[in-house]
Amino acid sequence: MNVGVAHSEVNPNTRVMNSRGMWLTYALGVGMLHIVLLSIPFFSVPVAWTLTNVIHNLGMYVFLHAVKGTPFETPDQGKARLLTHWEQLDYGVQFTSSRKFFTICPIILYFLTSFYTKYDPTHFILNTTSLLTVLIPKLPQLHGVRLFGINKY
């Protein structure tokens, strides 16, 4: 029995991305970011698309792959404090629907960005680098791996 804990989930971080309306909210947030960037007068359309892609991927990297732990008190003896949100997602089970969604979203945004920037080499390099920084940590082979001891504790 968990006294003082208001939820029945062992770790609410594991299921938050499967909650009702989360994917729609996520897509609307990315769309709103793009609209805000398009409304800035001195940004061209290619710059707005590249900024949307880079800001999205930076945010995704920070919130899913860099920040560890959970904002909730969990009865798991501190296991969650050593894992990133991506590693906690769906209790670490690979290839679930939410993991697939959060892997495909940056790829779709990358394709859209590449198309609307007309494959300009500068934008293409920035967008490809940005995409790789969020796709590589999602690989199942890198689950729990800390390169060069970064983010070990």
Side-chain angles (χ1 to χ4, degrees), residues 21-56:
M22 180 61 191
W23 294 0
L24 179 63
T25 304
Y26 175 83
L28 289 175
V30 173
M32 287 302 297
L33 170 66
H34 183 63
I35 289 171
V36 167
L37 290 173
L38 276 175
S39 68
I40 298 174
F42 54 88
F43 284 166
S44 64
V45 172
V47 170
W49 274 102
T50 299
L51 282 175
T52 301
N53 189 35
V54 170
I55 291 170
H56 167 266

mmCIF file of all heavy atoms in Angstrom, residues 21-56:
data_model
loop_
_atom_site.group_PDB
_atom_site.id
_atom_site.type_symbol
_atom_site.label_atom_id
_atom_site.label_comp_id
_atom_site.label_asym_id
_atom_site.label_seq_id
_atom_site.Cartn_x
_atom_site.Cartn_y
_atom_site.Cartn_z
ATOM 1 N N GLY A 21 -5.594 11.748 -26.015
ATOM 2 C CA GLY A 21 -5.377 13.068 -26.581
ATOM 3 C C GLY A 21 -3.937 13.542 -26.569
ATOM 4 O O GLY A 21 -3.657 14.646 -27.027
ATOM 5 N N MET A 22 -3.021 12.746 -26.060
ATOM 6 C CA MET A 22 -1.621 13.189 -25.965
ATOM 7 C C MET A 22 -1.005 13.387 -27.350
ATOM 8 O O MET A 22 -0.303 14.362 -27.579
ATOM 9 C CB MET A 22 -0.818 12.172 -25.155
ATOM 10 C CG MET A 22 0.620 12.521 -24.991
ATOM 11 S SD MET A 22 0.789 14.077 -24.134
ATOM 12 C CE MET A 22 2.501 14.391 -24.377
ATOM 13 N N TRP A 23 -1.263 12.487 -28.258
ATOM 14 C CA TRP A 23 -0.663 12.594 -29.587
ATOM 15 C C TRP A 23 -1.213 13.794 -30.339
ATOM 16 O O TRP A 23 -0.473 14.494 -31.035
ATOM 17 C CB TRP A 23 -0.885 11.323 -30.388
ATOM 18 C CG TRP A 23 -0.191 10.110 -29.846
ATOM 19 C CD1 TRP A 23 0.599 10.042 -28.727
ATOM 20 C CD2 TRP A 23 -0.236 8.806 -30.376
ATOM 21 N NE1 TRP A 23 1.042 8.770 -28.547
ATOM 22 C CE2 TRP A 23 0.539 7.972 -29.551
ATOM 23 C CE3 TRP A 23 -0.862 8.245 -31.468
ATOM 24 C CZ2 TRP A 23 0.713 6.628 -29.787
ATOM 25 C CZ3 TRP A 23 -0.685 6.895 -31.708
ATOM 26 C CH2 TRP A 23 0.091 6.104 -30.879
ATOM 27 N N LEU A 24 -2.502 14.040 -30.209
ATOM 28 C CA LEU A 24 -3.102 15.207 -30.849
ATOM 29 C C LEU A 24 -2.542 16.498 -30.258
ATOM 30 O O LEU A 24 -2.216 17.435 -30.994
ATOM 31 C CB LEU A 24 -4.630 15.169 -30.706
ATOM 32 C CG LEU A 24 -5.387 16.352 -31.302
ATOM 33 C CD1 LEU A 24 -5.170 16.418 -32.805
ATOM 34 C CD2 LEU A 24 -6.853 16.259 -30.953
ATOM 35 N N THR A 25 -2.408 16.535 -28.949
ATOM 36 C CA THR A 25 -1.833 17.709 -28.289
ATOM 37 C C THR A 25 -0.406 17.951 -28.748
ATOM 38 O O THR A 25 0.001 19.091 -28.993
ATOM 39 C CB THR A 25 -1.875 17.526 -26.755
ATOM 40 O OG1 THR A 25 -3.218 17.264 -26.366
ATOM 41 C CG2 THR A 25 -1.344 18.735 -26.038
ATOM 42 N N TYR A 26 0.352 16.891 -28.883
ATOM 43 C CA TYR A 26 1.735 16.978 -29.347
ATOM 44 C C TYR A 26 1.786 17.557 -30.767
ATOM 45 O O TYR A 26 2.550 18.490 -31.040
ATOM 46 C CB TYR A 26 2.351 15.574 -29.303
ATOM 47 C CG TYR A 26 3.738 15.464 -29.852
ATOM 48 C CD1 TYR A 26 4.841 15.788 -29.081
ATOM 49 C CD2 TYR A 26 3.966 15.007 -31.151
ATOM 50 C CE1 TYR A 26 6.121 15.672 -29.584
ATOM 51 C CE2 TYR A 26 5.235 14.897 -31.660
ATOM 52 C CZ TYR A 26 6.300 15.224 -30.870
ATOM 53 O OH TYR A 26 7.560 15.118 -31.374
ATOM 54 N N ALA A 27 0.960 17.023 -31.660
ATOM 55 C CA ALA A 27 0.935 17.502 -33.051
ATOM 56 C C ALA A 27 0.479 18.959 -33.118
ATOM 57 O O ALA A 27 1.042 19.759 -33.875
ATOM 58 C CB ALA A 27 0.030 16.611 -33.892
ATOM 59 N N LEU A 28 -0.532 19.312 -32.322
ATOM 60 C CA LEU A 28 -0.989 20.702 -32.296
ATOM 61 C C LEU A 28 0.087 21.638 -31.744
ATOM 62 O O LEU A 28 0.226 22.766 -32.203
ATOM 63 C CB LEU A 28 -2.271 20.820 -31.476
ATOM 64 C CG LEU A 28 -3.521 20.213 -32.104
ATOM 65 C CD1 LEU A 28 -4.691 20.287 -31.128
ATOM 66 C CD2 LEU A 28 -3.855 20.893 -33.406
ATOM 67 N N GLY A 29 0.858 21.173 -30.769
ATOM 68 C CA GLY A 29 1.950 21.983 -30.227
ATOM 69 C C GLY A 29 3.019 22.262 -31.274
ATOM 70 O O GLY A 29 3.505 23.392 -31.392
ATOM 71 N N VAL A 30 3.376 21.240 -32.049
ATOM 72 C CA VAL A 30 4.359 21.432 -33.117
ATOM 73 C C VAL A 30 3.799 22.368 -34.183
ATOM 74 O O VAL A 30 4.496 23.256 -34.686
ATOM 75 C CB VAL A 30 4.775 20.076 -33.733
ATOM 76 C CG1 VAL A 30 5.663 20.273 -34.948
ATOM 77 C CG2 VAL A 30 5.487 19.222 -32.701
ATOM 78 N N GLY A 31 2.515 22.200 -34.514
ATOM 79 C CA GLY A 31 1.881 23.089 -35.484
ATOM 80 C C GLY A 31 1.841 24.533 -35.002
ATOM 81 O O GLY A 31 2.097 25.464 -35.772
ATOM 82 N N MET A 32 1.539 24.732 -33.728
ATOM 83 C CA MET A 32 1.507 26.089 -33.168
ATOM 84 C C MET A 32 2.901 26.714 -33.164
ATOM 85 O O MET A 32 3.050 27.906 -33.445
ATOM 86 C CB MET A 32 0.934 26.064 -31.753
ATOM 87 C CG MET A 32 -0.554 25.837 -31.707
ATOM 88 S SD MET A 32 -1.492 27.073 -32.604
ATOM 89 C CE MET A 32 -1.107 28.533 -31.689
ATOM 90 N N LEU A 33 3.919 25.915 -32.843
ATOM 91 C CA LEU A 33 5.295 26.418 -32.896
ATOM 92 C C LEU A 33 5.615 26.906 -34.302
ATOM 93 O O LEU A 33 6.180 27.990 -34.478
ATOM 94 C CB LEU A 33 6.283 25.323 -32.479
ATOM 95 C CG LEU A 33 7.762 25.628 -32.705
ATOM 96 C CD1 LEU A 33 8.220 26.774 -31.815
ATOM 97 C CD2 LEU A 33 8.597 24.390 -32.472
ATOM 98 N N HIS A 34 5.222 26.130 -35.297
ATOM 99 C CA HIS A 34 5.505 26.510 -36.678
ATOM 100 C C HIS A 34 4.751 27.782 -37.070
ATOM 101 O O HIS A 34 5.313 28.667 -37.734
ATOM 102 C CB HIS A 34 5.162 25.362 -37.622
ATOM 103 C CG HIS A 34 5.500 25.659 -39.041
ATOM 104 N ND1 HIS A 34 6.790 25.874 -39.471
ATOM 105 C CD2 HIS A 34 4.712 25.822 -40.121
ATOM 106 C CE1 HIS A 34 6.783 26.140 -40.762
ATOM 107 N NE2 HIS A 34 5.529 26.118 -41.173
ATOM 108 N N ILE A 35 3.504 27.889 -36.670
ATOM 109 C CA ILE A 35 2.711 29.087 -36.989
ATOM 110 C C ILE A 35 3.316 30.326 -36.336
ATOM 111 O O ILE A 35 3.400 31.395 -36.945
ATOM 112 C CB ILE A 35 1.242 28.884 -36.581
ATOM 113 C CG1 ILE A 35 0.600 27.877 -37.522
ATOM 114 C CG2 ILE A 35 0.465 30.195 -36.582
ATOM 115 C CD1 ILE A 35 -0.777 27.423 -37.110
ATOM 116 N N VAL A 36 3.757 30.192 -35.098
ATOM 117 C CA VAL A 36 4.393 31.322 -34.407
ATOM 118 C C VAL A 36 5.663 31.739 -35.145
ATOM 119 O O VAL A 36 5.913 32.929 -35.360
ATOM 120 C CB VAL A 36 4.688 30.978 -32.933
ATOM 121 C CG1 VAL A 36 5.620 31.982 -32.301
ATOM 122 C CG2 VAL A 36 3.390 30.886 -32.144
ATOM 123 N N LEU A 37 6.471 30.774 -35.561
ATOM 124 C CA LEU A 37 7.700 31.105 -36.278
ATOM 125 C C LEU A 37 7.403 31.710 -37.655
ATOM 126 O O LEU A 37 8.134 32.588 -38.111
ATOM 127 C CB LEU A 37 8.586 29.868 -36.413
ATOM 128 C CG LEU A 37 9.216 29.379 -35.107
ATOM 129 C CD1 LEU A 37 9.924 28.052 -35.318
ATOM 130 C CD2 LEU A 37 10.165 30.412 -34.541
ATOM 131 N N LEU A 38 6.350 31.242 -38.297
ATOM 132 C CA LEU A 38 5.975 31.825 -39.591
ATOM 133 C C LEU A 38 5.457 33.255 -39.456
ATOM 134 O O LEU A 38 5.550 34.045 -40.388
ATOM 135 C CB LEU A 38 4.897 30.975 -40.265
ATOM 136 C CG LEU A 38 5.367 29.775 -41.069
ATOM 137 C CD1 LEU A 38 4.165 28.987 -41.569
ATOM 138 C CD2 LEU A 38 6.251 30.178 -42.221
ATOM 139 N N SER A 39 4.923 33.588 -38.300
ATOM 140 C CA SER A 39 4.365 34.930 -38.115
ATOM 141 C C SER A 39 5.426 35.981 -37.822
ATOM 142 O O SER A 39 5.124 37.169 -37.823
ATOM 143 C CB SER A 39 3.328 34.915 -36.994
ATOM 144 O OG SER A 39 3.959 34.674 -35.756
ATOM 145 N N ILE A 40 6.656 35.569 -37.594
ATOM 146 C CA ILE A 40 7.742 36.535 -37.382
ATOM 147 C C ILE A 40 8.146 37.067 -38.758
ATOM 148 O O ILE A 40 8.544 36.301 -39.633
ATOM 149 C CB ILE A 40 8.920 35.883 -36.643
ATOM 150 C CG1 ILE A 40 8.449 35.416 -35.267
ATOM 151 C CG2 ILE A 40 10.083 36.854 -36.525
ATOM 152 C CD1 ILE A 40 9.472 34.632 -34.482
ATOM 153 N N PRO A 41 8.039 38.380 -38.958
ATOM 154 C CA PRO A 41 8.165 38.933 -40.319
ATOM 155 C C PRO A 41 9.514 38.714 -40.999
ATOM 156 O O PRO A 41 9.567 38.568 -42.208
ATOM 157 C CB PRO A 41 7.914 40.424 -40.134
ATOM 158 C CG PRO A 41 7.558 40.652 -38.731
ATOM 159 C CD PRO A 41 7.738 39.385 -37.976
ATOM 160 N N PHE A 42 10.603 38.707 -40.277
ATOM 161 C CA PHE A 42 11.896 38.611 -40.955
ATOM 162 C C PHE A 42 12.390 37.175 -41.124
ATOM 163 O O PHE A 42 13.507 36.960 -41.582
ATOM 164 C CB PHE A 42 12.954 39.471 -40.237
ATOM 165 C CG PHE A 42 13.099 39.180 -38.778
ATOM 166 C CD1 PHE A 42 13.951 38.207 -38.324
ATOM 167 C CD2 PHE A 42 12.368 39.915 -37.847
ATOM 168 C CE1 PHE A 42 14.084 37.946 -36.976
ATOM 169 C CE2 PHE A 42 12.506 39.672 -36.503
ATOM 170 C CZ PHE A 42 13.361 38.678 -36.058
ATOM 171 N N PHE A 43 11.562 36.167 -40.814
ATOM 172 C CA PHE A 43 11.900 34.769 -41.091
ATOM 173 C C PHE A 43 11.293 34.361 -42.418
ATOM 174 O O PHE A 43 10.093 34.502 -42.633
ATOM 175 C CB PHE A 43 11.368 33.834 -40.004
ATOM 176 C CG PHE A 43 12.142 33.845 -38.717
ATOM 177 C CD1 PHE A 43 11.608 33.273 -37.582
ATOM 178 C CD2 PHE A 43 13.395 34.411 -38.623
ATOM 179 C CE1 PHE A 43 12.302 33.269 -36.393
ATOM 180 C CE2 PHE A 43 14.097 34.420 -37.445
ATOM 181 C CZ PHE A 43 13.549 33.844 -36.327
ATOM 182 N N SER A 44 12.118 33.833 -43.299
ATOM 183 C CA SER A 44 11.581 33.300 -44.550
ATOM 184 C C SER A 44 10.949 31.934 -44.255
ATOM 185 O O SER A 44 11.122 31.368 -43.177
ATOM 186 C CB SER A 44 12.700 33.154 -45.582
ATOM 187 O OG SER A 44 13.645 32.200 -45.145
ATOM 188 N N VAL A 45 10.252 31.392 -45.216
ATOM 189 C CA VAL A 45 9.596 30.100 -45.033
ATOM 190 C C VAL A 45 10.614 28.986 -44.765
ATOM 191 O O VAL A 45 10.436 28.194 -43.837
ATOM 192 C CB VAL A 45 8.684 29.771 -46.238
ATOM 193 C CG1 VAL A 45 8.154 28.355 -46.154
ATOM 194 C CG2 VAL A 45 7.544 30.763 -46.320
ATOM 195 N N PRO A 46 11.728 28.897 -45.528
ATOM 196 C CA PRO A 46 12.713 27.864 -45.215
ATOM 197 C C PRO A 46 13.321 28.015 -43.816
ATOM 198 O O PRO A 46 13.531 27.018 -43.119
ATOM 199 C CB PRO A 46 13.785 28.026 -46.294
ATOM 200 C CG PRO A 46 13.088 28.674 -47.425
ATOM 201 C CD PRO A 46 12.060 29.563 -46.809
ATOM 202 N N VAL A 47 13.581 29.240 -43.395
ATOM 203 C CA VAL A 47 14.142 29.458 -42.054
ATOM 204 C C VAL A 47 13.125 29.046 -40.984
ATOM 205 O O VAL A 47 13.481 28.414 -39.987
ATOM 206 C CB VAL A 47 14.581 30.930 -41.880
ATOM 207 C CG1 VAL A 47 14.924 31.236 -40.435
ATOM 208 C CG2 VAL A 47 15.770 31.229 -42.771
ATOM 209 N N ALA A 48 11.856 29.368 -41.200
ATOM 210 C CA ALA A 48 10.821 28.989 -40.236
ATOM 211 C C ALA A 48 10.697 27.472 -40.130
ATOM 212 O O ALA A 48 10.566 26.926 -39.022
ATOM 213 C CB ALA A 48 9.486 29.611 -40.626
ATOM 214 N N TRP A 49 10.759 26.783 -41.256
ATOM 215 C CA TRP A 49 10.685 25.318 -41.215
ATOM 216 C C TRP A 49 11.904 24.724 -40.517
ATOM 217 O O TRP A 49 11.782 23.803 -39.707
ATOM 218 C CB TRP A 49 10.562 24.748 -42.630
ATOM 219 C CG TRP A 49 9.153 24.685 -43.096
ATOM 220 C CD1 TRP A 49 8.537 25.534 -43.956
ATOM 221 C CD2 TRP A 49 8.169 23.729 -42.702
ATOM 222 N NE1 TRP A 49 7.230 25.165 -44.129
ATOM 223 C CE2 TRP A 49 6.967 24.056 -43.372
ATOM 224 C CE3 TRP A 49 8.173 22.634 -41.852
ATOM 225 C CZ2 TRP A 49 5.799 23.318 -43.217
ATOM 226 C CZ3 TRP A 49 7.003 21.900 -41.697
ATOM 227 C CH2 TRP A 49 5.847 22.239 -42.367
ATOM 228 N N THR A 50 13.090 25.237 -40.827
ATOM 229 C CA THR A 50 14.298 24.716 -40.182
ATOM 230 C C THR A 50 14.271 24.984 -38.681
ATOM 231 O O THR A 50 14.621 24.114 -37.885
ATOM 232 C CB THR A 50 15.557 25.324 -40.835
ATOM 233 O OG1 THR A 50 15.578 24.940 -42.212
ATOM 234 C CG2 THR A 50 16.819 24.836 -40.165
ATOM 235 N N LEU A 51 13.850 26.182 -38.291
ATOM 236 C CA LEU A 51 13.756 26.482 -36.861
ATOM 237 C C LEU A 51 12.720 25.606 -36.170
ATOM 238 O O LEU A 51 12.941 25.158 -35.034
ATOM 239 C CB LEU A 51 13.428 27.955 -36.648
ATOM 240 C CG LEU A 51 14.588 28.920 -36.808
ATOM 241 C CD1 LEU A 51 14.107 30.358 -36.702
ATOM 242 C CD2 LEU A 51 15.662 28.648 -35.775
ATOM 243 N N THR A 52 11.606 25.350 -36.833
ATOM 244 C CA THR A 52 10.600 24.457 -36.256
ATOM 245 C C THR A 52 11.195 23.082 -36.013
ATOM 246 O O THR A 52 11.030 22.491 -34.937
ATOM 247 C CB THR A 52 9.378 24.333 -37.199
ATOM 248 O OG1 THR A 52 8.826 25.626 -37.408
ATOM 249 C CG2 THR A 52 8.331 23.414 -36.615
ATOM 250 N N ASN A 53 11.895 22.571 -37.009
ATOM 251 C CA ASN A 53 12.504 21.248 -36.893
ATOM 252 C C ASN A 53 13.567 21.211 -35.796
ATOM 253 O O ASN A 53 13.578 20.300 -34.960
ATOM 254 C CB ASN A 53 13.106 20.839 -38.237
ATOM 255 C CG ASN A 53 13.566 19.403 -38.246
ATOM 256 O OD1 ASN A 53 12.960 18.545 -37.632
ATOM 257 N ND2 ASN A 53 14.649 19.144 -38.952
ATOM 258 N N VAL A 54 14.448 22.184 -35.772
ATOM 259 C CA VAL A 54 15.545 22.192 -34.799
ATOM 260 C C VAL A 54 15.014 22.395 -33.379
ATOM 261 O O VAL A 54 15.447 21.705 -32.446
ATOM 262 C CB VAL A 54 16.592 23.260 -35.180
ATOM 263 C CG1 VAL A 54 17.593 23.463 -34.075
ATOM 264 C CG2 VAL A 54 17.291 22.866 -36.473
ATOM 265 N N ILE A 55 14.074 23.316 -33.199
ATOM 266 C CA ILE A 55 13.511 23.544 -31.858
ATOM 267 C C ILE A 55 12.749 22.313 -31.382
ATOM 268 O O ILE A 55 12.868 21.906 -30.218
ATOM 269 C CB ILE A 55 12.609 24.804 -31.855
ATOM 270 C CG1 ILE A 55 13.456 26.057 -32.040
ATOM 271 C CG2 ILE A 55 11.802 24.892 -30.569
ATOM 272 C CD1 ILE A 55 12.656 27.320 -32.293
ATOM 273 N N HIS A 56 11.984 21.698 -32.267
ATOM 274 C CA HIS A 56 11.261 20.476 -31.909
ATOM 275 C C HIS A 56 12.224 19.379 -31.483
ATOM 276 O O HIS A 56 12.041 18.732 -30.459
ATOM 277 C CB HIS A 56 10.416 19.993 -33.098
ATOM 278 C CG HIS A 56 9.906 18.607 -32.931
ATOM 279 N ND1 HIS A 56 10.566 17.516 -33.430
ATOM 280 C CD2 HIS A 56 8.812 18.131 -32.291
ATOM 281 C CE1 HIS A 56 9.895 16.424 -33.113
ATOM 282 N NE2 HIS A 56 8.828 16.768 -32.424
#
